[in-house]
Amino acid sequence: LNRRRTTIERAFDLANSGEYKSVTQIRRRLRDEGRWDSDGQLFGRTIVGQLQRLCTTSAAAAVSEGAPT
């Protein structure tokens, strides 16, 4: 069963990748992937805060492991 991940699931995947430093960058990437609902899905202090913290910690981990950012 191959289902497409939801926009929110994809946003968390991207935030966890260590490649994105902000929710704005994630929104741009999602729109580039054709997920036009990203602005409507990624709003509110809780979700944006979780994504931003994940971006920060994942990017820091990638740098400490020597991965390109």
Side-chain angles (χ1 to χ4, degrees):
L1 170 56
N2 262 342
R3 71 169 180 85
R4 183 177 179 194
R5 294 180 64 73
T6 67
T7 298
I8 291 175
E9 289 171 329
R10 182 66 178 134
F12 276 91
D13 290 344
L14 294 171
N16 196 42
S17 73
E19 295 178 36
Y20 300 89
K21 295 180 181 175
S22 72
V23 176
T24 300
Q25 290 177 333
I26 290 173
R27 283 186 179 124
R28 255 187 241 127
R29 171 63 186 266
L30 291 168
R31 282 192 301 269
D32 289 347
E33 293 180 359
R35 296 173 185 262
W36 304 109
D37 63 340
S38 61
D39 288 334
Q41 293 282 322
L42 305 178
F43 69 94
R45 189 170 54 195
T46 302
I47 287 239
V48 171
Q50 288 175 341
L51 287 169
Q52 190 58 58
R53 281 189 298 280
L54 190 54
C55 283
T56 301
T57 57
S58 296
V63 168
S64 70
E65 293 172 5
T69 58

